[in-house]
Amino acid sequence: FLHKLVLGIETSCDDTAAAVVDETGNVLGEAIHSQTEVHLKTGGIIPPVAQQLHREHIQRIVQEALSVSRISPSELSAIATTIKPGLALSLGVGLSFSLELINQLKKPFIPIHHMEAHALTIRLTNKVEFPFLVLLISGGHCLLALVRGVSDFLLLGKSLDIAPGDMLDKVARRLSLIRHPECSTMSGGKAIEHLAKQGNRFHFDLKPPMQRAKNCDFSFSGLQHVIDKTIMQKEKEEGIEKGQILSSAADIAAAVQHTTACHLAKRTHRAILFCKQRNLLSQSNAVLVVSGGVASNLHIRKALEIVTNATQCTLLCPPPRLCTDNGIMIAWNGIERLRAGLGILHNVEGIRYEPK
Ligand code: KG4
Ligand code: ZN
């Protein structure tokens, strides 16, 4: 008895990742190469640099995922690859590589939407039926959606400007946390979470954004500017130069983290009430899935838990390695699409990738 087997390939941002997953959700093999260290040094992702790194590693990563899984490529049912959204130059590397492989192996191709893959990941680890709510929060994503089926999403809210992880990264950079002895190897968001534990959030009075907006959208750039100004003022008060670490850095981190958590929780609360009022979600056992790098923040999770407890919802988070970008979620999305009979291309001759 042969299960369906899908090879997933992900290169939308700064991770080169691949995995082989079977129909039942078994991960047979996976490999990932992260560029985080390189991008931390340059203070952000430079797309041509990311592209070059994907090119250098994709062959090895796909090979590794396949050899760990101990299958022969001829046993694959299909190859699934992220085609959007993401950095065009990065996406192009994964797509070109996949198309070559497909032509070589004569396998069907499943184009994957990166956000759909993030949203469906929970169904690999937990028995979650449609519909459910999903909140995706990372350095590049910020959206709240009702997932009604494998390819049936109702977008309820999104960030009008930057994503929460992007904001936390910018604040961490502005606070020079990379030079902080305890946080030098952490991502911006993780550094903020770490420092916040030592701080007092009541020392700074930050207001959650969009308190009056009657929708489920988010905004983080206003908050970022307010924090920027606060930091500038503190630098003057403490008489320190740009680049040195403020003595009030931990208090600022605590206030930023808490305000972010409040904002995310309040908008999510609105979405839950909206869906319940319209009977789009179960009244008694609705599920909220939270994923993305920012979802690993325990303070933010606690704030969301308060909301789900108050609305009789269950809060679920994929394990950390599945919350961030990975090949498993792409392969799993391929399996979900195969099972639903959706979007499988048997002839990819017409598809070509041309970067803008
Ligand atoms: O999902 P991810 O690895 O990559 C994408 O952005 O797609 O998320 C990375 C983001 C970064 O902005 C990072 O600062 C943030 O997630 N992050 C955190 C934490 N760990 C990572 N934000 C808040 N608290 C954390 N513990
Ligand atoms: Zn992602």
Side-chain angles (χ1 to χ4, degrees), residues 1-7 19-29 69 71 76-77 124 328 331-336 338-339:
F1 177 65
L2 261 182
H3 281 309
K4 287 191 176 80
L5 288 175
V6 172
L7 166 67
V20 178
V21 174
D22 79 6
E23 205 175 342
T24 60
N26 277 327
V27 179
L28 303 184
S69 71
I71 62 149
L76 289 171
S77 315
L124 176 120
I328 298 170
W332 174 247
N333 198 164
I335 293 280
E336 290 258 37
L338 274 182
R339 293 199 306 202

Side-chain angles (χ1 to χ4, degrees), residues 52-225:
Q52 184 54 33
L53 290 168
H54 282 304
R55 281 186 179 148
E56 284 168 21
H57 294 281
I58 190 156
Q59 171 90 39
R60 174 179 65 82
I61 289 298
V62 171
Q63 197 49 54
E64 199 176 312
L66 282 170
S67 57
V68 172
S69 71
R70 293 165 164 271
I71 62 149
S72 132
S74 65
E75 292 173 70
L76 289 171
S77 315
I79 295 170
T81 304
T82 308
I83 59 154
K84 66 180 177 188
L87 300 171
L89 292 177
S90 293
L91 286 165
V93 178
L95 186 53
S96 306
F97 184 88
S98 305
L99 294 182
E100 252 175 60
L101 198 59
I102 279 155
N103 283 325
Q104 202 183 310
L105 299 171
K106 305 274 178 277
K107 294 290 176 187
F109 180 58
I110 308 178
I112 300 293
H113 190 289
H114 183 82
M115 309 310 278
E116 180 180 310
H118 267 306
L120 296 179
T121 305
I122 196 72
R123 283 163 51 87
L124 176 120
T125 53
N126 297 59
K127 207 174 149 16
V128 177
E129 303 292 339
F130 301 119
F132 59 88
L133 266 182
V134 67
L135 173 67
L136 292 177
I137 41 177
S138 72
H141 320 317
C142 183
L143 66 82
L144 191 51
L146 180 68
V147 188
R148 296 186 288 204
V150 171
S151 196
D152 182 5
F153 285 63
L154 178 66
L155 184 65
L156 299 167
K158 60 187 182 312
S159 175
L160 302 177
D161 37 68
I162 58 176
D166 191 11
M167 185 271 291
L168 294 173
D169 290 342
K170 286 185 165 118
V171 172
R173 217 176 299 148
R174 186 67 184 77
L175 285 170
S176 301
L177 297 189
I178 194 133
R179 276 192 280 279
H180 193 289
E182 290 165 28
C183 319
S184 61
T185 58
M186 296 178 185
S187 70
K190 197 163 170 55
I192 298 271
E193 178 170 28
H194 179 82
L195 264 198
K197 290 192 193 114
Q198 309 162 18
N200 182 341
R201 68 179 166 87
F202 295 106
H203 287 180
F204 292 93
D205 186 25
L206 300 172
K207 295 265 178 301
M210 300 181 74
Q211 302 244 55
R212 282 156 194 257
K214 294 208 182 316
N215 56 40
C216 302
D217 287 334
F218 303 87
S219 167
F220 294 94
S221 68
L223 187 56
Q224 189 215 317
H225 287 300

